[in-house]
């Protein structure tokens, strides 16, 4: 018996309006109908994940798409806080960033990201990333609690 397809919410954490719109557009073009919630930096993302500061907590299962270069709280600081939170330390995070700096890549993987994706090729590359994420969400069994 095959498991039932889960409705996985996507939390996009990105401060750049142009990049966020391009990502949202790529999901629409690929007909990925998952709920997409946007946070503009790591602090807002933590509030959404935890349900603090007036935010309703994000429903499980969810997947986080995380930019690294953001104001207030960058992606690596967000990952550190998320992994230190016992209620959310197991969250699935894919980094989606412009940074190809080796220290950023190492820092992300030290915080157990599921993958490190570059935004460089905004057209074809982004669509391939969305296809891969869609396949991931329909292929992997997520915990519901």
């Amino acid at each position: 018996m095959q498991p039932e397809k889960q409705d996985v919410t996507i939390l996009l954490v990105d401060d750049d309006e142009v990049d966020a719109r391009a990502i949202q557009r790529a999901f629409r073009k690929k007909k990925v109908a998952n709920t997409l919630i946007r946070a503009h930096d790591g602090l807002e993302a933590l509030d959404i994940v935890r349900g603090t500061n007036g935010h309703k907590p994000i429903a499980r299962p969810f997947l986080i798409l995380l930019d690294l270069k953001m104001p207030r709280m960058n992606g690596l600081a967000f990952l550190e806080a998320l992994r230190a939170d016992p209620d959310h330390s197991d969250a699935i995070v894919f980094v989606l960033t412009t940074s190809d700096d080796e220290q950023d890549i190492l820092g992300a993987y030290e915080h157990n990201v599921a993958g490190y994706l570059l935004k460089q090729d905004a057209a074809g590359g982004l669509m391939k990333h969305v296809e891969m994420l869609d396949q991931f969400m329909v292929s992997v069994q997520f915990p519901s609690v």
Side-chain angles (χ1 to χ4, degrees):
M1 185 171 157
Q2 256 188 336
E4 190 176 309
K5 183 180 181 287
Q6 295 172 295
D7 185 20
V8 178
T9 300
I10 301 165
L11 175 59
L12 172 61
V13 187
D14 197 323
D15 66 311
D16 187 286
E17 290 298 323
V18 173
D19 286 349
R21 283 194 193 117
I23 293 163
Q24 291 166 331
R25 190 170 37 256
F27 274 95
R28 279 194 307 274
K29 279 186 180 178
K30 287 295 178 182
K31 296 182 178 22
V32 178
N34 299 64
T35 300
L36 188 96
I37 299 170
R38 167 129 183 258
H40 295 83
D41 59 40
L43 289 176
E44 184 180 13
L46 283 175
D47 284 337
I48 291 169
V49 168
R50 294 174 175 159
T52 55
N53 287 323
H55 291 276
K56 181 180 168 192
I58 193 168
R60 285 187 182 256
F62 63 87
L63 179 144
I64 299 171
L65 291 180
L66 178 67
D67 188 19
L68 292 185
K69 306 299 183 187
M70 298 178 290
R72 295 196 324 150
M73 176 185 267
N74 69 35
L76 292 176
F78 168 80
L79 281 169
E80 188 171 327
L82 186 72
R83 297 304 184 216
D85 183 333
D87 292 332
H88 300 97
S89 62
D90 62 345
I92 298 168
V93 180
F94 282 90
V95 170
L96 182 58
T97 188
T98 57
S99 175
D100 62 358
D101 183 281
E102 191 65 25
Q103 291 302 323
D104 287 340
I105 296 168
L106 287 170
Y109 280 112
E110 285 173 358
H111 288 94
N112 301 314
V113 297
Y116 195 100
L117 310 170
L118 292 175
K119 295 182 197 175
Q120 307 318 50
D121 179 11
L126 189 54
M127 296 303 277
K128 284 184 171 59
H129 293 335
V130 169
E131 286 174 16
M132 183 276 302
L133 291 166
D134 186 39
Q135 275 305 122
F136 180 87
M137 290 184 291
V138 298
S139 302
V140 171
Q141 186 64 36
F142 287 77
S144 57
V145 253

